[in-house]
Amino acid sequence: PEDPSRPLDADGIKYALFSKLRGTYNSDPKAKVSEDQLRKLLDEAHNLVFGNGANGPQVEAWMARARKLRDDKDNPLDANGIKYALFRLMRQVK
């Protein structure tokens, strides 16, 4: 068993982040992601990239991006897809 008091190495950190990003938000992958779920996804991605939850004027801009990902007519994303996409987009602006 791993010692929880020992710091994670690079691989441990990488897999811990992937594990956090893979959280399940819908029992039905075809179900449309709610506004509350979008906000939670946004906060989680923002926290992973910037170290805090999204706040201030950037919230509505990021929510608009999340809605666009969810509502795309040709390729709508599920909750996990939205979270990964937001994470990637935020890393690009960081």
Side-chain angles (χ1 to χ4, degrees):
E2 295 212 9
D3 178 2
S5 66
R6 199 171 117 220
L8 293 173
D9 62 5
D11 282 333
I13 292 169
K14 176 175 76 173
Y15 291 115
L17 287 173
F18 283 137
S19 176
K20 274 216 162 280
L21 286 171
R22 273 197 301 266
T24 302
Y25 294 92
N26 288 328
S27 55
D28 177 6
K30 299 290 183 196
K32 187 172 181 177
V33 180
S34 72
E35 289 290 309
D36 288 340
Q37 288 172 315
L38 283 180
R39 179 53 199 242
K40 183 175 180 179
L41 295 166
L42 169 60
D43 279 340
E44 288 181 19
H46 200 277
N47 192 44
L48 286 170
V49 176
F50 299 107
N52 58 12
N55 56 40
Q58 78 268 20
V59 169
E60 196 48 47
W62 284 116
M63 283 294 289
R65 297 292 288 270
R67 287 183 197 105
K68 187 174 179 178
L69 294 165
R70 176 193 66 190
D71 299 336
D72 185 292
K73 287 186 292 188
D74 297 323
N75 186 26
L77 296 179
D78 65 3
N80 286 327
I82 292 168
K83 185 174 180 179
Y84 281 115
L86 288 172
F87 179 73
R88 180 181 46 80
L89 291 167
M90 288 177 187
R91 286 188 46 113
Q92 289 174 355
V93 299
K94 183 174 179 184

